[in-house]
Amino acid sequence: MNVPARTLRRLAAAYGTPLYVYDLDVARAAHAELAGSLPSGSRLFYSLKANPFPPLVGALLDAGARAEVCSRGELDTALAAGADARSCLYTGPAKTEAELAHALARGVRLFSVDSPTDLARLGLCARRAGARAKAILRLNPSAYPRGAGLAMGGAPSQFGADVAWVCDRPELFGADGVELVGYHVYVGTNVDDTDRLMDWFELAVDAVRQAQEALRLRVEIVDLGGGFGHPYARPGTRPAWPGLAGRLAGLLARLPGAGSGGPVAAFESGRYLAGGCGTLVLGVQDVKRSRDTRFVIADGGVNVLGGMQGLRRVPPIMAEPLPLPSAVPAPGGLDRGGEAVLAGPLCTALDLLNQRARLPGAAPGGLLAVPNVGAYGLTAALVAFLGRDAPAEVAVDADGVRAALRLETAYRPLPAAPHGVNGDFTGEQAAGEQAAGEQVTGEQAAGERATGERAETR
């Protein structure tokens, strides 16, 4: 942990627990290290999906990162934090017309597209907006990466277009209103070794070369994704990347158009840039035994950390918290040593952060600190489950507390139901209504979606 234990105790006393504390200096240092490990002239995007906490986003933008976003909420957060819309990359496999219209209206001009349909939809929205959009085509390579923390390519996937499809039907990959200017390949995540990273990037470059033989684009940018790993919810330091810049420079020289002023190489990271800056402080509510098992029950569980583990988006939760020493001795008579199940406060048996945690001395009223949770922490958790308050989130650096915020979710009323929606329906009538609804035009559907999305909980 970079934030001293005494500071974490003081912040917990001021803001309560559970509590996220983000050290912005650590995020800035991670950006400097990763940017320095890439070839000169590379673009480095921060993936807001890892953590959209506004002060953290602002710190990374100020450090030189660009914003990679995949929703209206992420885009608005990035712009509010100081991002230039024209430097943003908008990604995602199911972008709606309403989302694209919103992005174009805010000034975004570079999008990653996953299919001919996605490309055509972007072109339609760009024409409506009177804008000229650019796109990079996401590719799904034919090979599967070795040692992937989570593979994002090389297998059947909702992400991108199979390289074989592109090569077989190149005429499908074009649309009025949008210019294809490059490629996007994200093969996998959470790699902590330079050799394995290079294996993945070589697969990506090979996919680009195959697709370019078929499409013959004027290539401006090739986004090779990322995969830069980091310890999660356990002690550890961010990996180093010895020799990566030189090896990548040699690989990039094999890209189509290299050596003639282009293309620009881009990379993405969320986990590496944000992971090490975050600490989750939990309050111990109870310590007890059930038969032969010791339980330490905290005031935060999968509602504040790791709710996406079941989706394999983050490693399985085996949180290894560090007890924060206190000047107040633990009450006598409590089990002070050995292994324990670290459980959260939710009314579900699934609320477990570690089934074999080492928590000597844990006692009610004590504090635990889970390190390396700056990425895929709160917003990757089941934050709305059971209606518990979200934890406070505090940004600190050498100058002290920079910001303290709390995420809120709330129900909001929708506009009155359109004519004909109210009332009782027989099954036959409902089926007829559904069939009629499925025949609306694309323009009508976009209007329906826009109305619904304005009422989303933010």
Side-chain angles (χ1 to χ4, degrees):
M1 293 183 300
N2 293 84
V3 180
R6 64 180 181 278
T7 301
L8 294 177
R9 289 198 304 271
R10 291 170 183 165
L11 292 171
Y15 297 104
T17 58
L19 170 70
Y20 272 97
V21 180
Y22 306 112
D23 188 333
L24 301 183
D25 285 336
V26 173
R28 296 181 185 109
H31 178 272
E33 288 187 19
L34 184 52
S37 299
L38 300 175
S40 176
S42 298
R43 295 179 186 174
L44 178 55
F45 289 91
Y46 173 58
S47 299
L48 268 74
K49 64 178 68 67
N51 190 340
F53 186 58
L56 173 60
V57 175
L60 288 169
L61 293 173
D62 289 344
R66 300 176 180 226
E68 182 261 310
V69 302
C70 55
S71 71
R72 290 167 48 146
E74 286 187 355
L75 173 60
D76 289 348
T77 295
L79 296 181
D84 179 352
R86 290 183 177 270
S87 74
C88 294
L89 172 63
Y90 202 112
T91 67
K95 297 177 286 293
T96 67
E97 290 180 19
E99 290 170 334
L100 291 170
H102 176 80
L104 290 162
R106 298 301 302 271
V108 178
R109 292 296 180 267
L110 181 62
F111 299 79
S112 173
V113 295
D114 287 64
S115 70
T117 299
D118 198 21
L119 181 63
R121 185 178 294 118
L122 173 59
L124 173 65
C125 292
R127 295 195 303 272
R128 287 175 179 168
R132 185 68 181 178
K134 292 186 175 183
I136 53 178
L137 176 63
R138 182 159 180 174
L139 301 173
N140 181 19
S142 57
Y144 196 85
R146 293 187 299 108
L150 174 63
M152 305 283 284
S157 174
Q158 73 267 45
F159 298 111
D162 290 355
V163 171
W165 184 24
V166 176
C167 293
D168 186 51
R169 298 293 306 276
E171 72 278 5
L172 298 178
F173 295 88
D176 292 339
V178 56
E179 179 185 7
L180 269 181
V181 297
Y183 300 96
H184 182 196
V185 192
Y186 202 119
V187 184
T189 72
N190 208 19
V191 178
D192 58 8
D193 176 79
T194 299
D195 289 338
R196 280 195 295 153
L197 264 182
M198 286 302 303
D199 288 343
W200 292 16
F201 289 143
E202 287 174 3
L203 288 175
V205 167
D206 187 57
V208 169
R209 294 174 65 188
Q210 292 178 59
Q212 179 63 3
E213 288 181 4
L215 296 181
R216 302 293 180 184
L217 305 180
R218 182 176 62 84
V219 181
E220 297 179 7
I221 179 172
V222 173
D223 184 340
L224 296 181
F228 308 101
H230 197 284
Y232 180 70
R234 58 181 173 82
T237 58
R238 58 178 173 269
W241 311 108
L244 181 62
R247 294 174 67 178
L248 272 175
L251 180 63
L252 295 173
R254 292 158 43 188
L255 285 172
S260 58
V264 172
F267 301 88
E268 306 164 32
S269 177
R271 190 187 310 273
Y272 187 87
L273 294 180
C277 79
T279 301
L280 173 61
V281 183
L282 300 173
V284 177
Q285 300 302 301
D286 203 353
V287 178
K288 64 182 182 182
R289 281 193 171 274
S290 176
R291 304 194 181 188
D292 60 350
T293 301
R294 178 172 172 248
F295 283 82
V296 174
I297 304 174
D299 55 10
V302 294
N303 60 314
V304 298
L305 178 68
M308 288 181 70
Q309 63 172 313
L311 305 179
R312 299 189 304 119
R313 186 62 188 87
V314 294
I317 292 296
M318 291 292 288
E320 297 180 24
L322 306 173
L324 295 180
S326 172
V328 179
L334 291 172
D335 191 343
R336 291 173 171 273
E339 208 168 75
V341 174
L342 177 58
L346 305 184
C347 292
T348 169
L350 301 178
D351 189 16
L352 302 175
L353 294 181
N354 193 336
Q355 298 196 56
R356 301 184 66 178
R358 297 289 300 180
L359 295 172
L367 298 176
L368 305 174
V370 184
N372 289 323
V373 289
Y376 301 107
L378 180 61
T379 54
L382 303 181
V383 66
F385 186 52
L386 293 184
R388 299 180 72 89
D389 289 343
E393 298 177 85
V394 179
V396 301
D397 59 17
D399 295 326
V401 174
R402 309 299 296 175
L405 304 172
R406 190 186 303 275
L407 178 69
E408 291 188 352
T409 60
Y411 285 105
R412 295 191 179 98
L414 291 171
H419 177 71
V421 173
N422 291 319
D424 296 327
F425 295 89
T426 66
E428 186 174 330
Q429 288 172 320
E433 291 283 343
Q434 181 179 3
E438 291 175 348
Q439 295 171 7
V440 298
T441 66
E443 188 170 334
Q444 290 172 322
E448 295 279 346
R449 289 193 293 271
T451 300
E453 288 181 12
R454 281 194 293 270
E456 287 180 346
T457 299
R458 292 293 180 199

